[in-house]
């Protein structure tokens, strides 16, 4: 049996969404063929999304360059940003390998030390 044209590997030509015309007899496909078609369509969608992002990046870079700026000057360095991990602010005097950043729920060793009379400042690191 010949593989339906929709299941063959796509050509390297770029297809714009407005140009897509499909005539696939879905009722004539087996469940396995439908799964393959769905997987290939999802991959094509991901590739199209990546290509559109790259196109927009190129346009923005060119516009910034034309105006005498770089993308870094306009938007800063790349990266996701975010808070990152907090360093240790407190350490257990009985076991210095046990530390706490001061964020979130207080660990039991910290609560026990405070209950036994230690001050919060005495548990600080450095």
């Amino acid at each position: 049996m010949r593989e339906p044209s929709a299941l063959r590997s796509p050509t390297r030509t770029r297809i714009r969404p407005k140009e897509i015309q499909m005539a696939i007899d879905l009722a004539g496909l087996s469940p396995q063929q439908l799964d393959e078609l769905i997987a290939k369509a999802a991959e094509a969608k991901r590739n199209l999304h990546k290509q559109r992002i790259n196109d927009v990046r190129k346009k923005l870079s060119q516009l910034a360059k034309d105006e005498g700026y770089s993308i870094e000057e306009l938007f800063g360095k790349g990266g996701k940003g975010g808070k990152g991990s907090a360093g240790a602010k407190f350490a257990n005097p009985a076991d210095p390998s046990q530390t706490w950043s001061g964020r979130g729920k207080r660990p039991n060793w910290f609560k026990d030390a405070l209950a036994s009379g230690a001050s919060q400042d005495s548990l600080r690191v450095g």
Side-chain angles (χ1 to χ4, degrees), residues 19-95:
E19 298 172 2
I20 296 176
Q21 294 182 3
M22 300 173 91
I24 300 173
D25 179 21
L26 297 176
L29 298 178
S30 70
Q32 181 182 3
Q33 289 173 320
L34 286 170
D35 288 340
E36 289 174 18
L37 179 62
I38 291 168
K40 288 185 179 187
E43 182 180 355
K45 183 178 177 183
R46 281 189 302 273
N47 290 339
L48 180 63
H49 180 71
K50 287 179 186 176
Q51 183 62 47
R52 292 182 70 199
I53 287 175
N54 286 334
D55 290 346
V56 170
R57 283 183 180 149
K58 287 178 187 176
K59 288 177 185 177
L60 286 173
S61 293
Q62 188 59 49
L63 180 62
K65 184 179 177 183
D66 291 346
E67 295 294 326
Y69 298 101
S70 70
I71 292 294
E72 290 78 22
E73 286 178 296
L74 297 174
F75 298 107
K77 297 281 183 198
K80 295 286 183 184
K83 294 181 181 179
S85 64
K89 289 186 180 178
F90 303 97
N92 184 352
D95 183 1

